[in-house]
Amino acid sequence: YSIPVSIPFLFFSDYLVQKIRVENLFILALAMYGVRYIGYSYITCPWFAFPFETLEVFTLNLFMVAVATYVKVKNLLLSNNKNVLTWIFTENAPEGTLATLTGLAGGAHFGFGKGIGGLTGGILKDQLGSMALAFRAFSSVGFAGSVLYATYHYCCGRKMSENKMHHETVKS
């Protein structure tokens, strides 16, 4: 069901990545996992799952575009003394390893993440006695992950990347 919704987003994915930025897409994807799971916890009819399935645009499609973009090139926006903004591109993937790193990222998401998620979800459902409570627990993890990553990125991660870029430009 999410394919018709995903096509326009994927068509404009380059524009979205440039405007929203890769790190913000990661934050958005984690938050949308929270929204999806909290929605699943309240529905009583399976047909009501369709609106939450459309959020897969953020939790899967745009997330994987952001992962591929992050693996290939990390964009840093730096400003100099004249208030001129300059883009500096750094390669995150050494030459010849792009396909490997993209495969590892996909394997981590689809293999490890979904496997651990399914196992944890089954244990939570068994221990809590309710599918709704298990979905709410996963929702809180999604929201918490979003807040933690946003806090890290805006407090430490961006500064660390800018310092790394400054050192690399000084060396050259």
Side-chain angles (χ1 to χ4, degrees):
Y1 180 75
S2 67
I3 291 174
V5 178
S6 300
I7 291 172
F9 280 91
L10 289 174
F11 184 75
F12 293 109
S13 63
D14 287 340
Y15 175 78
L16 291 171
V17 167
Q18 287 177 347
K19 287 296 178 188
I20 299 175
R21 307 270 316 216
V22 172
E23 293 85 358
N24 292 332
L25 281 175
F26 291 152
I27 294 164
L28 181 65
L30 288 169
M32 287 300 114
Y33 268 119
V35 171
R36 275 182 76 185
Y37 291 145
I38 200 75
Y40 289 148
S41 75
Y42 286 106
I43 62 173
T44 56
C45 175
W47 289 99
F48 296 148
F50 283 128
F52 300 109
E53 283 296 311
T54 60
L55 294 177
E56 193 171 274
V57 167
F58 301 103
T59 60
L60 179 64
N61 301 14
L62 286 179
F63 176 72
M64 291 311 289
V65 168
V67 166
T69 303
Y70 186 81
V71 165
K72 174 64 179 147
V73 175
K74 184 171 184 177
N75 302 325
L76 291 177
L77 185 63
L78 300 176
S79 61
N80 59 18
N81 294 337
K82 300 175 186 171
N83 292 328
V84 176
L85 299 177
T86 48
W87 286 97
I88 295 180
F89 299 97
T90 60
E91 294 286 329
N92 282 340
E95 190 173 332
T97 62
L98 179 62
T100 302
L101 291 176
T102 304
L104 283 172
H109 182 266
F110 293 108
F112 182 74
K114 289 198 181 233
I116 294 295
L119 177 66
T120 307
I123 292 170
L124 279 174
K125 181 189 174 293
D126 184 52
Q127 295 299 313
L128 298 175
S130 167
M131 184 78 78
L133 291 177
F135 273 121
R136 289 180 193 142
F138 271 105
S139 176
S140 63
V141 170
F143 286 128
S146 177
V147 168
L148 287 173
Y149 184 72
T151 303
Y152 165 75
H153 174 67
Y154 289 110
C155 291
C156 305
R158 192 165 38 171
K159 291 176 186 172
M160 288 171 44
S161 295
E162 288 174 359
N163 288 339
K164 179 183 172 189
M165 277 307 300
H166 177 70
H167 285 50
E168 287 178 1
T169 55
V170 169
K171 287 180 185 177
S172 356

